[in-house]
Amino acid sequence: VAPTTPVCEVPSSAMTGTVVQLSCKETEGSPPSEYQWYKNGVALLEKTGTGSARTPNITYTMNKKSGTLLFNPVTKNDTGRYFCEASNGIGLSQRCSVKRLQV
């Protein structure tokens, strides 16, 4: 079964230095969907970035199975427009509407 449009929960604002979690979920897809988060139209990398010491500005963890995007802590650099896409290899992938996070 192809995924339906996921429900995204993105806080509209957050304080610098706090922990912020964005969530994305859809329940119709079978097999269960995997989730990909995007910031300003660019796909975010899974886990905590590339693992290189040159990317200390990556402060998030993305879980493709659960659809969570966790900022620990959130920084001003994380301000942007976010959306998530659900896909399970059947039918078209579905994405939620874009929501702005202001840090």
Side-chain angles (χ1 to χ4, degrees):
V1 179
T4 55
T5 302
V7 175
C8 293
E9 292 184 14
V10 177
S12 57
S13 63
M15 294 290 292
T16 302
T18 60
V19 176
V20 176
Q21 179 170 300
L22 283 56
S23 67
C24 177
K25 197 73 184 158
E26 71 83 30
T27 55
E28 300 295 314
S30 180
S33 291
E34 287 203 345
Y35 303 97
Q36 171 68 52
W37 278 96
Y38 293 79
K39 175 186 176 186
N40 300 330
V42 179
L44 294 175
L45 300 169
E46 194 169 13
K47 300 193 172 63
T48 51
T50 60
S52 148
R54 294 184 188 181
T55 53
N57 57 335
I58 294 183
T59 57
Y60 64 81
T61 307
M62 179 171 60
N63 185 322
K64 290 194 170 192
K65 295 274 190 252
S66 67
T68 58
L69 181 62
L70 184 70
F71 293 98
N72 188 8
V74 74
T75 68
K76 283 201 177 300
N77 292 337
D78 298 319
T79 293
R81 295 167 63 80
Y82 290 85
F83 70 86
C84 127
E85 186 175 75
S87 59
N88 65 355
I90 299 171
L92 295 172
S93 56
Q94 299 287 334
R95 53 180 61 173
C96 65
S97 57
V98 175
K99 298 190 178 180
R100 181 168 171 78
L101 170 64
Q102 178 71 47
V103 181

